[in-house]
């Protein structure tokens, strides 16, 4: 970076002032007031980073370098400080988290005052508002960007994002009409639940979740209006949970939601293979009947860290549960799989785990946020987390999800005996749905 974080903070403070000091333009052609204000925002962010301890995140390191470049541009006559300002805003957004998004928004605000017709500044503002969940404001900024953008090809992703944000808001409006809550609140018969398309995304998601929960408790899951409400909730999550724009950190994998997974499974035979030394040895033995059995399925599913099966063992769907305290750090998921499902909550930590542990090219599809908590999502199985004595195994979560989707032709378990046996509660659920058994598999007929 050319200088320490403390040295950069000192330089920024010397140029822009400390918190509580209004920025003032310097005499003799110094930086514009908006640039000084932007530097002061950067100084506040640097101070917070310095207080947080040693920096190990490469994205934050790039942001600090960008702030250094902005500081140099502001102090160099003739330098293009505006472009440096936009680059710093983008680096702040790329650094992740609400703090980065708030800094990006603050810099975008100064940029739009400095150059009101800058399409880059308005897009940065839209992206920052979008990252903060302020959808209606983001739409306004995106539309301002489109009004200034002459290249229609370059604006298609922004148009798609506007359409997605509006569609998510429309689902809220329809849900409110369904429960008789009008267009501005979801109170009425379902209690003090407040829902509006003008709420920040996290608040809207929580209010929508509570609305579905209360309505289901009042009328039951079989009620047609409740079923439609749950469908609207699922569509809202699909539209609002995805990243604002394509995420290159997913390694080129295609996000897949509930409808896409249902199509992927439709009409296929599926086997879940336990990761045991015996099963792995039988899979690799030439002429093994177990290897021939597994190869005969349309889809092979493996769960969590696969320690015993050969690296080349066929895996069509890999499922993993993020357990313990977040952040969920661990080995990267480098086993080749056609589709990978990652179960975990809360959403921001789940996203961070995907970005840090997915390996580019190791999967063609990755389950999106609508599939990250199938047992407890009101749009899927809607079980209360408190009802479970212990967290469900990944294999059981996959089985319940496949049973709910109902499109596979058959689902079998292979090797889940002895040390690999599932907990008693999960075995009881499986036993109630068992069609046939033999020495190698428990065969389940989905109803």
């Amino acid at each position: 970076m050319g200088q320490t974080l403390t040295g950069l903070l000192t330089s920024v403070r010397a140029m822009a002032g400390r918190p509580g000091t209004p920025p003032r333009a310097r005499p003799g052609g110094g930086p514009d007031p908006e640039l000084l204000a932007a530097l002061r925002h950067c100084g506040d962010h640097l101070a917070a980073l310095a207080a947080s301890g040693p920096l190990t995140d490469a994205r934050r390191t790039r942001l600090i370098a960008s702030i250094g470049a902005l500081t140099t541009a502001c102090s160099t006559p003739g330098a293009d400080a505006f472009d440096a300002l936009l680059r710093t805003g983008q680096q702040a957004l790329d650094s992740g988290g609400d703090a980065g998004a708030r800094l990006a928004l603050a810099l975008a605000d100064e940029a739009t005052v400095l150059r009101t017709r800058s399409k880059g500044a308005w897009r940065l503002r839209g992206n920052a508002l979008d990252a903060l969940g302020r959808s209606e404001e983001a739409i306004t900024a995106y539309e301002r960007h489109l009004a200034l953008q002459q290249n229609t090809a370059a604006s298609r992703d922004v148009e798609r994002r506007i359409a997605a944000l509006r569609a998510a808001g429309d689902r809220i409006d329809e849900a409110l009409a369904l429960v008789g809550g009008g267009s501005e609140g979801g109170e009425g018969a379902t209690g003090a639940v407040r829902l509006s398309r003008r709420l920040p995304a996290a608040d809207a998601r929580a209010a929508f979740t509570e609305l579905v929960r209360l309505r289901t408790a009042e009328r039951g899951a079989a009620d047609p209006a409740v079923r439609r409400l749950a469908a609207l909730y699922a569509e809202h999550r699909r539209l609002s949970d995805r990243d604002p724009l394509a995420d290159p950190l997913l390694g080129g994998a295609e996000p897949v939601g509930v409808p896409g997974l249902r199509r992927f499974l439709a009409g296929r035979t599926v086997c879940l293979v336990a990761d045991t030394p015996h099963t792995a040895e039988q899979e690799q033995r030439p002429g093994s009947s177990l290897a021939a059995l597994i190869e005969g399925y349309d889809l092979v599913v493996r769960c969590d860290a696969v320690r015993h099966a050969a690296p080349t063992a066929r895996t069509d769907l890999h499922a993993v549960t993020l357990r313990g305290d977040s952040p969920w750090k661990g080995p990267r998921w480098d086993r080749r799989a056609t589709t990978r499902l990652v179960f975990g909550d809360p959403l921001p930590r789940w996203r961070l785990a995907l970005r840090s542990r997915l390996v580019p090219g190791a999967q063609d599809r990755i389950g999106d946020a609508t599939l990250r908590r199938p047992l407890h999502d009101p749009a899927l199985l809607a079980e209360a987390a408190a009802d479970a004595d212990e967290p469900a195994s990944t294999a059981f979560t996959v089985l319940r999800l496949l049973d709910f989707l109902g499109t596979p032709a058959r689902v079998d378990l292979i090797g889940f005996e002895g040390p690999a046996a599932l907990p008693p509660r999960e075995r009881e659920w499986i036993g109630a749905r068992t069609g046939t058994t033999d020495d190698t598999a428990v065969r389940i007929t989905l109803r």
Side-chain angles (χ1 to χ4, degrees):
M1 289 184 295
Q3 56 183 316
T4 65
L5 174 58
T6 303
L8 177 57
L9 177 58
T10 300
S11 299
V12 170
R13 293 295 194 216
M15 180 173 294
R18 304 187 64 83
T21 303
R24 295 174 295 178
R26 294 185 175 184
D32 292 298
E34 292 79 14
L35 290 173
L36 293 176
L39 283 176
R40 189 173 61 170
H41 291 304
C42 291
D44 295 342
H45 192 79
L46 289 173
L49 289 179
S52 66
L55 294 176
T56 58
D57 190 328
R59 293 176 298 173
R60 289 183 175 181
T61 302
R62 289 192 292 270
L63 171 59
I64 293 169
S66 187
I67 293 174
L70 174 62
T71 306
T72 300
C74 288
S75 60
T76 304
D80 190 352
F82 186 80
D83 282 353
L85 174 62
L86 294 186
R87 285 193 295 271
T88 304
Q90 187 58 52
Q91 290 291 350
L93 197 58
D94 292 344
S95 69
D98 285 349
R102 286 193 295 269
L103 175 59
L105 178 59
L107 300 186
D109 286 343
E110 301 300 339
T112 55
V113 172
L114 197 59
R115 296 187 188 177
T116 59
R117 295 185 58 79
S118 167
K119 55 183 180 289
W122 285 105
R123 178 161 183 172
L124 176 63
R125 189 171 197 275
N127 288 344
L129 289 164
D130 201 350
L132 291 168
R134 294 160 60 177
S135 302
E136 296 299 311
E137 295 174 85
I139 290 174
T140 300
Y142 283 146
E143 288 178 332
R144 186 67 182 270
H145 164 80
L146 291 178
L148 296 166
Q149 177 63 268
Q150 301 299 316
N151 185 352
T152 56
S155 62
R156 285 172 186 156
D157 55 348
V158 176
E159 292 171 346
R160 286 193 295 268
R161 186 55 184 158
I162 290 174
L165 291 174
R166 282 182 172 153
D170 291 344
R171 301 309 185 271
I172 289 178
D173 290 345
E174 184 178 344
L176 292 174
L178 192 65
V179 301
S183 60
E184 292 300 323
E187 218 163 339
T190 54
V193 175
R194 300 297 300 179
L195 178 62
S196 167
R197 69 188 298 157
R198 292 178 174 81
L199 285 174
D203 295 338
R205 184 163 49 247
F208 211 153
T209 301
E210 183 67 3
L211 182 61
V212 173
R213 186 189 68 80
L214 290 173
R215 204 67 169 184
T216 302
E218 288 175 0
R219 300 193 175 186
D223 182 80
V226 172
R227 291 174 66 88
R228 177 56 185 161
L229 184 64
L232 290 170
Y233 172 85
E235 292 173 15
H236 177 266
R237 288 288 296 271
R238 175 180 62 81
L239 291 163
S240 60
D241 275 352
R242 74 172 184 83
D243 286 333
L245 298 175
D247 189 347
L249 295 176
L250 295 185
E254 174 190 353
V256 62
V258 174
L261 183 62
R262 183 178 279 117
R263 289 191 298 270
F264 177 65
L265 298 166
R268 296 186 170 187
T269 57
V270 181
C271 70
L272 277 73
V273 181
D275 185 47
T276 65
H278 172 72
T279 303
E281 188 271 332
Q282 289 293 316
E283 271 196 273
Q284 297 178 63
R285 177 179 296 178
S288 163
S289 59
L290 180 60
L293 175 67
I294 293 174
E295 190 59 33
Y297 288 91
D298 296 320
L299 297 175
V300 176
V301 181
R302 303 182 195 271
C303 298
D304 296 317
V306 184
R307 297 183 175 88
H308 301 293
T312 56
R314 176 181 159 202
T315 306
D316 299 298
L317 191 153
H318 176 236
V320 59
T321 300
L322 300 168
R323 301 191 186 278
D325 296 331
S326 60
W328 296 294
K329 296 182 179 179
R332 303 187 76 188
W333 301 309
D334 55 2
R335 174 171 289 272
R336 174 64 188 165
T338 304
T339 300
R340 200 177 311 276
L341 300 180
V342 180
F343 305 130
D345 201 38
L347 176 64
R349 295 295 186 180
W350 173 85
R351 278 180 170 154
L352 183 61
L354 257 62
R355 291 173 174 175
S356 62
R357 297 178 66 180
L358 286 176
V359 175
Q363 58 280 311
D364 300 325
R365 303 181 187 90
I366 178 70
D368 69 8
T370 63
L371 289 166
R372 65 189 173 85
R373 49 194 296 267
L375 295 184
H376 309 305
D377 194 318
L380 296 175
L381 290 160
E383 294 182 352
D387 291 345
D389 297 330
E390 60 184 23
S393 68
T394 302
F396 187 63
T397 301
V398 172
L399 284 174
R400 295 293 307 277
L401 178 59
L402 298 184
D403 183 47
F404 174 83
L405 296 176
T407 55
R410 194 178 77 201
V411 177
D412 294 350
L413 275 72
I414 296 179
F416 285 87
E417 311 97 10
L422 298 175
R425 178 178 63 89
E426 298 180 3
R427 293 202 304 271
E428 180 181 352
W429 183 92
I430 292 170
R433 291 159 177 79
T434 297
T436 59
T437 63
D438 59 29
D439 293 338
T440 58
V442 178
R443 305 193 185 282
I444 301 174
T445 303
L446 297 180
R447 297 183 296 186

